[in-house]
Amino acid sequence: MNKIFYKLLGFVVASLVFLASVSSASACLFGHYQPQVPKSLQK
Amino acid sequence: MAYLIFSTKIAHYLIKKTNASADKKEILAYAIEIISFNFINIGMSLFIGYILGVLPGTAVCLLTVFAIRIFAGGAHSNSAWRCAIITALLFPSMGLLANKAWLIMMPLIADVFILISFIISSFLLFFLAPIDSPNAPILSLARRTRLKKLSLVSMGLIASITTIIRLSNLTSTELLICIAFGVIWSSFILTPTAHKLFKILDNPKLLKGKEV
């Protein structure tokens, strides 16, 4: 059970990193508020 | 870097539990913030749209603006909560306005309105897009050029879909007017006027000439 939970968390982290990369590649994601893009993702 | 407490805490928890490198913390906090604010904004818009009886129109406006804004960017508010209020009020209002407008517009006038909105918006996109913000600067020229092209392609696709729907009578004129409103808003927020409007919304004292 614990193993599955940690694997799931790993998947969540990977998905979030992927989303952040996609978002930083676009001009903005949608809303009228833009959080600060991390320096490592600015291009 | 300034992220809200909840996103920083969740990011910290994920890093700790998965042994991911600490430099990913900022990236995770950023992604969590994006997901949560978009979820709140879109959810509130659709909920208000549903209450006002204009859910499909609100959804169409949201989709249209999303498809263009993702590449074209535009003015932003500097407060997440003010942005949520603007979004929650704006899109249902567009849906409601389209709902009333198509009742009084003759089909020909509606067609002309939709056509003009696409022409003007395409010009604005061509000359102004992409507009970045201090929080998400576009640093490379190649990326800037790519985003401009993609925003125009997106506008072209929306125009094609609108034309096909109009010619085949697949849906009511109301939803086509919603697309037109979405297109107008997406291009309006690229203009200096929209930036001034957001500055005033962020700081209403500017209206009285008292810059703070």
Side-chain angles (χ1 to χ4, degrees):
Chain A
M1 181 65 191
N2 242 3
K3 214 174 169 184
I4 295 172
F5 177 69
Y6 284 113
K7 273 191 176 171
L8 196 70
L9 282 186
F11 176 73
V12 169
V13 168
S15 308
L16 287 173
V17 171
F18 175 72
L19 177 85
S21 308
V22 169
S23 160
S24 66
S26 56
C28 76
L29 204 57
F30 169 73
H32 297 96
Y33 169 71
Q34 173 68 51
Q36 175 114 41
V37 175
K39 279 266 187 296
S40 56
L41 292 179
Q42 288 184 7
K43 47 196 164 186
Chain B
M1 211 162 273
Y3 294 110
L4 296 178
I5 295 170
F6 78 92
S7 23
T8 316
K9 276 192 173 171
I10 297 171
H12 182 75
Y13 174 81
L14 288 171
I15 293 283
K16 212 172 101 183
K17 292 288 175 189
T18 58
N19 289 326
S21 62
D23 57 353
K24 280 208 174 77
K25 192 175 168 184
E26 263 186 357
I27 298 175
L28 294 180
Y30 169 68
I32 291 163
E33 214 146 284
I34 281 181
I35 290 179
S36 33
F37 283 123
N38 279 305
F39 184 76
I40 292 169
N41 290 350
I42 294 169
M44 274 169 55
S45 287
L46 291 176
F47 178 69
I48 294 176
Y50 172 75
I51 288 187
L52 294 174
V54 287
L55 181 63
T58 307
V60 167
C61 291
L62 280 165
L63 270 174
T64 309
V65 172
F66 174 78
I68 299 172
R69 192 168 160 86
I70 193 168
F71 304 118
H76 286 94
S77 166
N78 59 20
S79 150
W81 304 111
R82 211 172 290 121
C83 154
I85 295 167
I86 294 169
T87 309
L89 294 178
L90 180 77
F91 292 99
S93 305
M94 283 186 193
L96 197 64
L97 197 63
N99 180 264
K100 303 291 172 207
W102 90 281
L103 293 175
I104 53 168
M105 271 188 195
M106 288 190 302
L108 182 66
I109 296 175
D111 287 345
V112 171
F113 170 73
I114 292 165
L115 184 68
I116 289 174
S117 66
F118 271 102
I119 292 171
I120 294 173
S121 301
S122 300
F123 270 105
L124 287 172
L125 273 186
F126 182 77
F127 287 110
L128 300 176
I131 298 283
D132 54 358
S133 67
N135 279 350
I138 300 171
L139 302 177
S140 85
L141 182 65
R143 187 174 158 226
R144 191 171 283 279
T145 312
R146 195 178 66 238
L147 285 171
K148 183 190 275 292
K149 279 183 191 163
L150 287 171
S151 64
L152 289 167
V153 168
S154 184
M155 175 69 95
L157 277 175
I158 295 169
S160 309
I161 292 168
T162 308
T163 310
I164 292 168
I165 291 173
R166 175 69 189 92
L167 294 177
S168 53
N169 281 325
L170 278 175
T171 186
S172 71
T173 314
E174 178 188 350
L175 293 185
L176 297 180
I177 295 174
C178 284
I179 295 177
F181 282 154
V183 163
I184 291 169
W185 179 256
S186 306
S187 53
F188 170 69
I189 47 174
L190 303 176
T191 63
T193 313
H195 283 80
K196 273 183 203 159
L197 178 72
F198 272 87
K199 264 190 187 164
I200 290 170
L201 287 171
D202 282 336
N203 186 2
K205 285 182 183 170
L206 286 176
L207 252 189
K208 296 172 192 165
K210 291 180 197 165
E211 208 156 318
V212 177

